[in-house]
């Protein structure tokens, strides 16, 4: 049964997060000093748009969610050059989105450096901030040299003063729908219907798995290693090889899983061995990607692969992967608590949302997606 938090409890959870506290203690005073919490510019959207800037600093997932909005912008302004300002962890991801001419790194731990980068980037005709809660992103927007700036007005965040046009942010719809609503405020229609992508020939016997979390704050999104062992054995029995990918920070955890899986497991341990380009190549030729709510899951969906997402603390209705071949298995217990930016804190002493996903359900979905029948 899904836990109903209510807006007040959600707000309390956000305020308890480290990132949110830092944003409030530092970001709010700086934003106030820059804007005075009042719109002073009375401007209109320019008729001619040759240079567009997009801003989304955090989350590979959310950067990928902007892809359809980028497509709509290119359709509306086919001759415009689009620059994407994003965090250092998302730079490579922003670079692969069709329509992006230039990706620029910002540094979420260095406000002053990021402000200088934005200020020195030159003038833009249109500036679009896809951030929903961060004052850091609002500060970047205020710092930017742009004829017209748009962003979200989010309840209680006091960040919309940085924009010439602010659209109401909703907690009740998928992020892609929020982004579409933002662009609709300036008359641009976003079609979030995903068209099947052309891709490289499938490696019919390879399944990519990601058993890790993107960062330590997201550990409640992980499925147990014992369950992953069962999944690998099931894939092997069906004639598929598993490829385990992750970053260098995951090596120790991967070694533990290697020992648990045993020498008979048909699995490629590629953790810490692949750069971003290598990961893309591997995923683009896989038959299936299985992961929790991680960047690998969303990259797989973005590349048009079949993906199975295991969702516990995050809400699939707001943050589920986007694509034609997407399958999400949600927790049977408490779930959906991490449904706001900056909120990575579970309210339970012993989170069980991921472990309430029966591994048998995952195995049945694998058989269905791959079209196999393992007795």
């Amino acid at each position: 049964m899904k836990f109903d938090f209510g807006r007040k409890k959600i707000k309390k959870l956000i305020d308890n997060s480290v990132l949110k506290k830092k944003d409030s203690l530092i970001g709010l005073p700086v934003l106030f000093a820059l804007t005075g919490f009042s719109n002073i510019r009375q401007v209109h959207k320019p008729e001619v748009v040759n240079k567009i800037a997009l801003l989304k600093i955090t989350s590979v997932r959310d950067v990928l969610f902007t892809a359809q909005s980028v497509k709509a912008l290119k359709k509306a302004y086919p001759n415009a050059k689009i620059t994407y300002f994003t965090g250092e962890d998302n730079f490579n991801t922003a670079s692969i989105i069709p329509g992006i001419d230039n990706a620029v790194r910002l540094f979420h731990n260095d406000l002053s450096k990021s402000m200088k980068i934005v200020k020195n980037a030159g003038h833009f005709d249109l500036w679009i901030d896809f951030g929903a809660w961060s004052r850091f992103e609002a500060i970047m927007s205020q710092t930017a040299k742009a004829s017209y700036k748009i962003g979200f007005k989010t309840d209680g965040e006091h960040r919309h003063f940085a924009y010439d046009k602010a659209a109401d942010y909703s907690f009740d719809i998928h992020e892609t729908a929020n982004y579409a609503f933002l662009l609709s405020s300036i008359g641009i229609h976003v079609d979030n219907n995903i068209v099947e992508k052309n891709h490289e020939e499938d490696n019919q016997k390879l399944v990519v798995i990601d058993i890790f979390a993107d960062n330590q704050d997201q550990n409640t999104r992980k499925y147990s290693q014992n369950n992953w062992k069962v999944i690998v054995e099931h894939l092997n029995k069906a004639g598929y090889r598993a490829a385990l990918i992750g970053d260098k920070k995951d090596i120790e955890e991967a070694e533990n899983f290697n020992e648990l899986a045993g020498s008979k497991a048909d699995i490629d341990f590629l953790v810490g061995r692949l750069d971003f380009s290598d990961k893309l190549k591997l995923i683009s030729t896989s038959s299936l990607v299985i992961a929790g709510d991680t960047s690998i899951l969303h990259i797989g969906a973005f590349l048009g692969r079949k993906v199975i997402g295991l969702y516990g603390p995050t809400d699939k209705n707001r943050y589920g992967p986007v694509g034609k071949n997407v399958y999400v298995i949600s927790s049977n217990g408490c779930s959906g608590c991490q449904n706001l930016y900056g909120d990575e804190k579970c309210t339970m002493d012993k989170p069980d949302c991921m472990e309430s996903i029966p591994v048998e359900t995952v195995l049945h979905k694998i058989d269905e997606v791959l079209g196999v029948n393992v007795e």
Side-chain angles (χ1 to χ4, degrees), residues 55 118 127-129 136-146 149-150 159 162-163:
L55 177 67
V118 170
W127 178 278
I128 302 171
D129 178 4
F136 187 101
E137 288 164 320
I139 291 168
M140 296 302 101
S141 297
Q142 180 66 24
T143 302
K145 299 173 183 177
K149 305 173 184 179
I150 69 171
R159 64 188 302 280
Y163 313 108

Side-chain angles (χ1 to χ4, degrees), residues 289-302 307-311 321:
V289 176
I290 311 173
D293 182 13
T294 69
S295 58
I296 294 300
L297 177 76
H298 294 281
I299 289 173
F302 177 77
V307 304
I308 296 176
L310 309 180
Y311 270 60

Side-chain angles (χ1 to χ4, degrees), residues 44-53 73 76-81 123-127 146-148 188:
H44 300 282
K45 186 182 73 171
E47 294 184 4
V48 178
V49 176
N50 293 318
K51 294 182 66 179
I52 300 172
L73 285 166
Y77 305 110
N79 297 320
K81 299 295 183 182
H123 184 273
F124 296 92
D125 301 306
L126 179 61
W127 178 278
S147 299
Y148 196 73
I188 296 176

Side-chain angles (χ1 to χ4, degrees), residues 9-26 133-135 157 215 217-218 221 337-347:
K9 190 170 286 188
I10 288 173
K11 177 115 173 57
K12 182 178 180 181
L13 287 173
I14 290 182
D15 289 340
N16 286 335
S17 77
V18 174
L19 183 59
K20 193 67 176 181
K21 286 182 179 179
K22 182 178 179 181
D23 184 73
S24 296
L25 290 173
I26 300 175
W133 66 268
S134 171
R135 282 84 176 219
E157 299 306 322
N215 58 64
D217 291 335
Q218 298 172 356
R221 302 181 188 182
C337 60
Q338 293 181 3
N339 59 349
L340 290 179
Y341 293 100
D343 172 22
E344 302 297 348
K345 183 177 177 60
C346 180
T347 59

